[in-house]
Amino acid sequence: MAELATIARPYADALFKASRGNLPQTQAWLDQLAAAASSQELLDFAANPRVNATQVFHVLTSAIKDSLPEHGVNFLRMVIDNDRLAAVPEVARQFRVLANEVSGSSDAVIVSAFPIDQAELQQLIATLEKRFGRKLEASVKIDPELIGGVRVAVGDEVLDTSVKARLEQMKSALIA
């Protein structure tokens, strides 16, 4: 989706510059907008020629938990008016990258075969922060297909210690 990334970049840059003083708050409402804009039903509704921009705006703002600040309202109106609603999730992703650069942290997606309790998660994050050499903002997903262990993605780097990955390695070694 290089096209969406290209479309989203100027929006993310402008929003980042406008939000320098409150990056976490902007990220919070932008993530909510991105989640709502990820809905194919909402995108279909917005694409309907009988629906106007005001109706799309009201549906979207009612779909999010918090109210938008003034620059959030302006951002959303501009995105809707320019028919760029589908790019909002990518805008949120690019905004997060810019905000992480400022804070010196990275997003980490931890995929586990089983739920991880809070104490284990904190210990895992501390170990991963030492391994990757930076502060990590972790999110956890459950995937029973891993059988056991975890797979961690930090940017382009992936650390896969899952049982499934080890079985795949053994399979490859036996076949070769």
Side-chain angles (χ1 to χ4, degrees):
M1 286 269 162
E3 185 177 320
L4 269 184
T6 304
I7 291 169
R9 187 171 298 112
Y11 290 100
D13 288 340
L15 195 54
F16 179 74
K17 289 175 185 169
S19 304
R20 278 285 188 169
N22 57 356
L23 294 175
Q25 295 86 359
T26 301
Q27 187 67 58
W29 61 257
L30 187 56
D31 285 343
Q32 290 179 36
L33 280 179
S38 295
S39 165
Q40 187 59 48
E41 293 167 338
L42 180 73
L43 294 175
D44 291 343
F45 174 76
N48 186 334
R50 291 188 228 161
V51 175
N52 64 37
T54 304
Q55 291 170 312
V56 174
F57 177 83
H58 288 299
V59 167
L60 243 171
T61 54
S62 66
I64 62 174
K65 181 177 66 170
D66 301 323
S67 62
L68 293 173
E70 184 179 344
H71 68 282
V73 169
N74 294 338
F75 167 77
L76 183 57
R77 288 193 189 281
M78 181 175 51
V79 167
I80 292 170
D81 290 344
N82 292 324
D83 293 325
R84 301 295 193 210
L85 197 54
V88 171
E90 180 63 18
V91 171
R93 190 194 69 71
Q94 289 186 21
F95 183 89
R96 181 175 296 282
V97 169
L98 293 171
N100 284 346
E101 286 176 8
V102 169
S103 68
S105 65
S106 294
D107 288 336
V109 178
I110 300 171
V111 183
S112 174
F114 303 101
I116 304 173
D117 71 24
Q118 203 56 27
E120 289 175 327
L121 180 60
Q122 293 305 320
Q123 185 178 13
L124 177 60
I125 291 171
T127 303
L128 291 170
E129 286 176 344
K130 288 179 188 173
R131 163 78 166 73
F132 288 101
R134 57 187 170 256
K135 181 165 175 24
L136 299 176
E137 302 294 328
S139 62
V140 179
K141 295 181 181 177
I142 306 299
D143 182 3
E145 289 185 12
L146 293 181
I147 304 169
V150 295
R151 180 179 14 191
V152 180
V154 178
D156 294 341
E157 298 177 74
V158 176
L159 177 65
D160 196 344
T161 63
S162 67
V163 173
K164 181 179 180 181
R166 290 184 183 169
L167 290 173
E168 290 293 328
Q169 289 171 346
M170 288 192 305
K171 177 183 172 185
S172 295
L174 291 171
I175 292 174

